[in-house]
């Protein structure tokens, strides 16, 4: 359910794919439940205790519950739009990145505490609600696993040996628990932590070796406040003694902007090449202005164009030209495309009409160009597009739009 881009795609049974999903989602969820059950049984937690008021819960509990209710809304919207793949991926991301790898890992000591005080009870109730809600959300997608998980969670509550998830009410989001600011703060802390740990790996400095100072560049006062709020958590996670928050100018970083051709292509197709060049040539002062104001105005062919940060941000995908044939054919790595996507090359848009998998498991698509007709292409297959090959060179990047 999570491994294909569209429900129209036929997918052959793949034991390796099943093993991967089992490892990434089901094993992670099982280990999270196992951790919860181990300490809940020791402390006699039954999920029938008086609930700790939401406002009195620690910030990290309020964060995961906010994220959980955001997930409930996202899954409901996805299923209502007949997008089970999007729903399944959202559930998997929540379990892996936020519940297991962040919330449980950061709160282990709260479950190890001796007495069942309010803080420990809040931790139990928060994790219980997350597990129970996940079981209900994934019931339409993984019915048997969800049923077993839900039944085990409900056994201390109902006293019954078996309680099916499929007769329970589907979760509804509690909007008063959603805190977008808190979610953004924690996401920023996760991003900073991930980048710092990646840098440690790159230079082969292990996390157990403390570092003196971490320099964190920010673009505005709001981002500075968010980093400040997460300062202690970040410092512990990356093992640094001090965090210095600086402006872009002080950081010494060199930034680069890429255009989001998926948004810009349909609107500025005729001047997209000139606009893309103008975006690539932005200097550090202009980039700082874009980050600070959220928009920037370009002068292209005598016209003024104002682009937002969402349009001049990270590209949807990149595909590199590996070689160019003698007759104008080109070899292109297609990457991850799905029906309805498109490639924007040298001002000409190629729409992807369909995507499927060949015997080797590679994605194969039909690229439709009005001038050339349909051509079936796969990884490193030939595409005959003489009209635009003159604008390309080996190593050029083709943007997905």
């Amino acid at each position: 359910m999570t491994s294909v881009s569209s429900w129209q795609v036929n997918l052959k049974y793949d034991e390796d794919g099943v093993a991967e999903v089992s490892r990434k989602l089901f094993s992670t969820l099982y280990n999270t439940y196992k951790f919860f059950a181990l300490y809940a049984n020791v402390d006699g937690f039954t999920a029938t205790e008086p609930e700790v008021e939401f406002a009195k819960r620690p910030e990290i509990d309020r964060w995961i519950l906010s994220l959980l209710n955001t997930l409930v809304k996202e899954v409901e919207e996805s299923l209502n739009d007949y997008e089970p793949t999007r729903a399944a991926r959202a559930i998997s991301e929540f379990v892996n990145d936020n519940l297991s790898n962040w919330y449980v890992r950061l709160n282990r000591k709260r479950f190890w505490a001796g007495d069942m005080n309010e803080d420990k009870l809040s931790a139990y109730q928060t994790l219980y609600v997350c597990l129970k809600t996940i079981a209900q959300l994934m019931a339409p997608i993984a019915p048997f696993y969800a049923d077993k998980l839900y039944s085990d969670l409900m056994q201390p509550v109902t006293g019954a040996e078996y309680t099916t998830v499929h007769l329970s009410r589907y979760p509804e989001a509690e909007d008063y628990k959603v805190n977008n600011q808190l979610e953004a703060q924690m996401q920023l802390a996760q991003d900073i932590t991930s980048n710092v740990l990646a840098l440690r790996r790159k230079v082969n400095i292990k996390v157990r070796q403390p570092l003196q100072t971490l320099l964190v560049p920010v673009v505005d006062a709001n981002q500075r406040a968010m980093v400040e709020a997460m300062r202690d958590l970040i410092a512990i996670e990356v093992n640094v003694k001090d965090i210095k928050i600086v402006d872009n100018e002080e950081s010494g970083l060199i930034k680069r902007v890429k255009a989001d051709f998926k948004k810009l292509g349909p609107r500025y197709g005729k001047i997209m090449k000139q606009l893309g060049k103008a975006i690539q040539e932005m200097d550090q002062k202009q980039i700082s202005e874009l980050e600070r104001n959220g928009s920037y105005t370009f002068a292209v062919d005598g016209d003024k164009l104002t682009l937002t940060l969402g349009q001049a941000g990270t590209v949807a995908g990149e595909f590199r030209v590996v070689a160019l044939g003698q007759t104008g054919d080109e070899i292109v790595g297609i990457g991850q495309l799905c029906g309805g996507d498109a490639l924007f090359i040298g001002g000409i848009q190629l729409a992807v009409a369909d995507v499927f998998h060949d015997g080797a498991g590679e994605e194969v698509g039909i690229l439709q160009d009005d001038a050339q007709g349909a051509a079936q292409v796969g990884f490193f297959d030939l595409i005959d597009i003489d009209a635009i090959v003159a604008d390309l060179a080996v190593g050029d990047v083709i943007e997905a739009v």
Side-chain angles (χ1 to χ4, degrees):
M1 189 65 73
T2 62
S3 61
V4 295
S5 300
S6 172
W7 59 266
Q8 298 104 323
V9 178
N10 291 325
L11 183 66
K12 295 179 181 179
Y13 179 77
D14 178 17
E15 288 188 2
D16 292 337
V18 173
E20 182 180 2
V21 173
S22 175
R23 176 178 56 84
K24 286 186 175 180
L25 174 60
F26 296 119
S27 293
T28 300
L29 190 54
Y30 172 75
N31 289 334
T32 303
Y33 167 75
K34 188 177 179 181
F35 170 85
F36 166 80
L38 174 65
Y39 292 100
N41 289 332
V42 169
D43 290 320
F45 176 77
T46 62
T48 58
E49 294 83 357
E51 189 169 331
V52 178
E53 291 183 26
F54 180 74
K56 293 183 178 180
R57 298 195 183 198
E59 183 178 68
I60 196 163
D61 288 0
R62 288 184 276 113
W63 163 74
I64 195 67
L65 290 174
S66 173
L67 211 59
L68 179 68
N69 283 277
T70 299
L71 175 69
V72 170
K73 290 194 286 187
E74 182 179 356
V75 171
E76 183 180 10
E77 290 172 0
S78 298
L79 294 180
N80 287 340
D81 291 339
Y82 301 98
E83 291 283 358
T85 298
R86 194 168 66 200
R89 288 176 176 173
I91 294 171
S92 180
E93 180 182 344
F94 176 85
V95 171
N96 283 292
D97 298 341
N98 297 302
L99 185 62
S100 174
N101 190 45
W102 198 255
Y103 179 78
V104 172
R105 185 173 59 81
L106 295 179
N107 287 278
R108 285 196 183 103
K109 292 182 179 179
R110 295 172 65 192
F111 294 91
W112 298 341
D115 299 328
M116 181 64 85
N117 53 27
E118 186 175 74
D119 180 70
K120 188 175 185 179
L121 181 60
S122 175
Y124 272 120
Q125 291 178 340
T126 300
L127 185 53
Y128 177 84
V129 168
C130 288
L131 289 169
K132 178 182 173 184
T133 304
I134 287 296
Q136 292 172 309
L137 289 176
M138 70 189 305
I141 301 170
F144 301 110
Y145 189 97
D147 208 34
K148 173 61 175 173
L149 176 60
Y150 183 84
S151 180
D152 288 346
L153 288 167
M154 292 301 293
Q155 198 278 332
V157 179
T158 63
E161 185 175 348
Y162 171 69
T163 305
T164 180
V165 69
H166 302 294
L167 294 180
S168 66
R169 293 185 63 86
Y170 204 69
E172 296 182 2
E174 298 176 290
D175 291 333
Y176 77 95
K177 292 183 179 179
V178 176
N179 186 331
N180 295 324
Q181 177 70 12
L182 181 57
E183 290 183 26
Q185 284 181 188
M186 196 65 76
Q187 183 60 57
L188 184 60
Q190 289 174 302
D191 292 341
I192 293 173
T193 299
S194 177
N195 287 328
V196 173
L197 294 179
L199 286 172
R200 277 182 171 273
R201 288 191 296 269
K202 186 175 181 179
V203 297
N204 199 27
I205 299 178
K206 298 186 181 299
V207 180
R208 64 171 175 264
Q209 179 179 341
L211 299 177
Q212 183 62 40
T213 305
L214 170 64
L215 207 65
V216 180
V218 296
V219 298
D220 54 30
N222 180 55
Q223 196 174 75
R224 178 183 290 273
M226 289 197 294
V227 175
E228 191 67 50
M230 296 287 118
R231 175 192 288 268
D232 293 340
L233 176 59
I234 296 170
I236 293 172
E237 283 297 291
V238 302
N239 195 12
V240 297
K241 297 179 180 179
D242 184 40
I243 294 180
K244 185 178 180 181
I245 305 173
V246 297
D247 296 328
N248 274 331
E249 291 75 11
E250 302 175 73
S251 67
L253 292 176
I254 298 176
K255 296 186 177 182
R256 187 166 58 95
V257 177
K258 287 186 178 181
D260 188 344
F261 290 101
K262 187 172 185 178
K263 297 177 180 178
L264 297 177
R267 186 174 179 183
Y268 302 110
K270 294 182 179 180
I271 59 171
M272 194 61 247
K273 190 173 182 179
Q274 300 93 307
L275 180 58
K277 183 180 179 181
I279 292 174
Q280 287 181 342
E281 293 177 349
M282 291 179 69
D283 58 31
Q284 297 304 300
K285 185 177 180 180
Q286 292 170 326
I287 292 174
S288 295
E289 182 180 339
L290 171 64
E291 290 181 313
R292 186 169 54 253
N293 301 330
S295 63
Y296 189 81
T297 301
F298 294 88
V300 180
D301 287 351
D303 296 329
K304 289 188 176 182
L305 308 173
T306 300
L307 302 184
T308 64
L309 187 59
Q311 294 171 322
T314 304
V315 297
E318 295 184 348
F319 308 91
R320 190 166 298 280
V321 178
V322 179
L324 295 175
Q326 296 296 322
T327 62
D329 294 339
E330 62 171 336
I331 301 176
V332 178
I334 297 302
Q336 298 295 323
L337 292 177
C338 61
D341 282 356
L343 292 177
F344 191 87
I345 310 176
I348 296 178
Q349 180 170 301
L350 301 175
V352 181
D354 194 12
V355 171
F356 54 94
H357 288 75
D358 64 13
E362 295 177 341
E363 284 194 351
V364 178
I366 304 295
L367 294 185
Q368 179 69 51
D369 177 21
D370 293 338
Q372 300 293 335
Q376 180 169 305
V377 298
F379 284 99
F380 308 122
D381 287 340
L382 295 180
I383 312 170
D384 186 5
I385 42 176
D386 296 340
I388 59 176
V389 124
D391 293 329
L392 295 172
V394 175
D396 283 352
V397 171
I398 299 172
E399 310 289 359
V401 300

